[in-house]
Amino acid sequence: MVINYTHKIPNQKYFSPPLYTQFTTKTRKVIKMWDKIKQELDKQGITEYRLAKMTGISPQQLHQIKKRNTKNPKWLTVVKIAEALGVSLDEFK
């Protein structure tokens, strides 16, 4: 589902804002998930490369999640990240 915000400027036609403000609900979940992963990495002093080695996920795959190119990461990927960081899956909701 794409959320499209349309604004009305007085005395002008409707316009749509730039594409970066049009998010899907899945993209928002990935953004929240990566923010929580990054917060936990900083708290524990772990690098992204080290997390990749701990989980068996390729550094490129983590980078894709970070850059929001993966809109719906696989369940097993999320489980591996949560286990490596020692956090509950509920934290990624």
Side-chain angles (χ1 to χ4, degrees):
M1 176 175 98
V2 174
I3 300 170
N4 188 0
Y5 300 99
T6 305
H7 304 282
K8 173 95 166 100
I9 297 177
N11 300 325
Q12 291 186 3
K13 294 182 178 181
Y14 287 94
F15 74 100
S16 292
L19 289 176
Y20 62 82
T21 59
Q22 297 177 3
F23 294 106
T24 63
T25 53
K26 288 181 180 178
T27 304
R28 287 184 180 185
K29 287 181 182 180
V30 171
I31 291 170
K32 288 179 184 179
M33 184 178 79
W34 181 257
D35 290 342
K36 291 181 182 187
I37 291 170
K38 184 66 179 162
Q39 181 182 19
E40 202 60 40
L41 288 174
D42 292 342
K43 188 167 103 177
Q44 295 183 21
I46 300 172
T47 63
E48 293 171 27
Y49 180 78
R50 179 70 184 137
L51 178 63
K53 291 298 180 184
M54 291 167 63
T55 59
I57 298 169
S58 70
Q60 293 83 5
Q61 188 175 359
L62 276 179
H63 185 74
Q64 293 297 318
I65 294 170
K66 177 182 179 180
K67 294 298 178 189
R68 286 108 171 136
N69 293 337
T70 302
K71 293 182 181 172
N72 193 12
K74 292 183 179 176
W75 175 251
L76 185 58
T77 303
V78 177
V79 170
K80 287 179 180 181
I81 292 171
E83 286 178 354
L85 295 175
V87 296
S88 168
L89 286 171
D90 291 334
E91 298 219 11
F92 296 137
K93 284 185 178 180

